Amino acid sequence: MSHPAGRVLALLELLQGRHRSTAADLAGQLGVDERTVRRYATTLVELGIPVTADRGRHGGYRLHPGYKLPPLMLTDDEAVAVLLGLVVAERVGLATEQPATASALAKIRRVLPAALADRLAAVQEHLGFTLRRPEAERGPASGTLLALASAARHRQRVALDYRSWRGERSHRELDPYGLVFHAGRWYVTGHDHRRGEVRTFRLDRIGAVTPGLATFTVPDGFEAVAFVTRSLAGVPYPHEVEVVLETDLVAARRRIPPSVAELTVTTDGVLLRARAESLPGMAALLAGLGCPFTVRRPDALRVAVAEHARRLADWAARPAGGQAPSPRRPLD
């Protein structure tokens, strides 16, 4: 870069890419002398970019974490990585508030070279996802996510306002053990002092978060992901289900996610425990597993499985021409 302003920006890019650089290294890469490097560094400081000069044998220049983000210099490959990350985060629900994600995408697109921007637009237009954010739901507030992450790192109790799925509002004191992103939603899990037990909360239903002075210790062996998926499988749907699957645990886990049911090895096979909102839906899930099974409870699930089998038999009996088959006698 022959223009001084371009070399100043090039210095910023070099400093962002490494922890510390000597004046000699920077001068060599910029094609200037060390005195000019010092002048460029002074220019960055005058622009409000926190460049620190360390003296001594192992000294050099580095960017000091400041109170605001300095202009970020990205290569084409880095810009592609950031843009794709934002697109994926928005599509699957990993992002926080949508305006922040959309504005960040727009800013990067505006400064991309025209040819690269066009190619990335083609990727975004034709990129499909098997996992999508739940419809008509927004991500959590950025401040909520950051406050809970900081509290979890420093083992710091927080006070928070929460709105349940029924719309009921409550004030909680929580020891946040960890954050989990699952099936398009953010969750925090930890010890809820109001209930006196470990609970799971959706971040998009959390209001104000206030760090307190009390600290806590995470129980030995606690795994946030495992607890959240188990707790979601135990959501209080009306039907408690127990079914013994005649297969091994590895095969069962490949077909049944932990958020759907709890799986336990028994002498008869694998015991599936779950709560179900719909018994016909559970019957369809069991039919699709491809292994024999025995329903322990409820008896109504046996009826639902038999009804599902009858529907499958009726559909299998349909002739290729599309004419309905003769009526079948109901199953006993």
Side-chain angles (χ1 to χ4, degrees):
M1 295 184 181
S2 59
H3 196 280
R7 289 196 292 270
V8 171
L9 292 176
L11 173 62
L12 176 59
E13 182 176 1
L14 291 173
L15 292 175
Q16 287 176 333
R18 61 193 69 181
H19 177 65
R20 180 184 284 107
S21 298
T22 66
D25 288 339
L26 294 170
Q29 294 189 60
L30 295 173
V32 298
D33 56 32
E34 295 185 24
R35 182 176 180 181
T36 303
V37 169
R38 288 194 292 272
R39 188 168 69 251
Y40 290 167
T42 301
T43 300
L44 290 175
V45 171
E46 291 172 350
L47 292 172
I49 299 171
V51 177
T52 300
D54 298 325
R55 298 181 179 277
R57 179 181 176 184
H58 300 290
Y61 293 92
R62 60 187 176 90
L63 281 179
H64 186 75
Y67 293 102
K68 59 182 178 180
L69 186 67
L72 196 60
M73 305 294 294
L74 299 175
T75 65
D76 286 356
D77 288 343
E78 291 168 342
V80 170
V82 172
L83 191 65
L84 289 178
L86 289 169
V87 170
V88 171
E90 194 278 329
R91 292 281 189 92
V92 304
L94 184 61
T96 54
E97 300 139 307
Q98 286 192 10
T101 307
S103 62
L105 281 167
K107 288 178 180 178
I108 294 178
R109 287 196 191 99
R110 280 198 296 267
V111 299
L112 288 176
L116 181 59
D118 184 64
R119 295 171 68 184
L120 279 171
V123 172
Q124 186 175 354
E125 291 167 8
H126 299 281
L127 181 61
F129 291 84
T130 57
L131 175 65
R132 298 185 64 85
R133 76 159 58 240
E135 295 295 332
E137 291 191 4
R138 61 180 179 84
S142 301
T144 300
L145 176 63
L146 296 176
L148 290 171
S150 177
R153 168 187 277 183
H154 296 101
R155 303 290 190 262
Q156 190 174 16
R157 186 176 303 168
V158 299
L160 57 85
D161 297 322
Y162 192 70
R163 174 181 52 83
S164 73
W165 64 275
R166 298 187 184 91
E168 300 168 346
R169 299 186 179 276
S170 60
H171 186 74
R172 312 277 182 140
E173 287 193 353
L174 179 72
D175 298 343
Y177 293 165
L179 295 163
V180 176
F181 179 76
H182 173 72
R185 295 189 179 101
W186 282 96
Y187 298 89
V188 61
T189 184
H191 183 78
D192 176 16
H193 289 267
R194 178 177 177 175
R195 293 290 186 89
E197 60 185 4
V198 179
R199 300 291 300 276
T200 297
F201 300 94
R202 275 175 50 173
L203 262 66
D204 59 313
R205 293 177 179 167
I206 294 177
V209 177
T210 305
L213 298 178
T215 58
F216 62 88
T217 301
V218 179
D220 291 339
F222 182 83
E223 295 183 2
V225 172
F227 183 86
V228 168
T229 52
R230 284 199 305 269
S231 65
L232 294 178
V235 169
Y237 290 133
H239 305 288
E240 293 187 5
V241 172
E242 286 190 7
V243 178
V244 177
L245 308 176
E246 296 180 24
T247 185
D248 59 78
L249 186 60
V250 174
R253 283 176 172 170
R254 281 201 298 263
R255 304 300 296 273
I256 304 170
S259 57
V260 171
E262 181 181 355
L263 301 174
T264 308
V265 176
T266 69
T267 55
D268 300 322
V270 176
L271 176 61
L272 177 153
R273 289 193 183 97
R275 299 189 70 102
E277 183 176 18
S278 165
L279 290 181
M282 178 58 69
L285 182 148
L286 293 171
L289 295 179
C291 67
F293 59 84
T294 301
V295 175
R296 285 190 176 178
R297 64 174 179 151
D299 289 337
L301 179 57
R302 300 177 186 274
V303 177
V305 171
E307 178 62 28
H308 185 73
R310 182 171 62 184
R311 285 196 300 270
L312 291 178
D314 287 344
W315 295 337
R318 288 181 176 179
Q323 297 295 323
S326 59
R328 296 174 54 88
R329 182 174 64 85
L331 295 176
D332 294 332

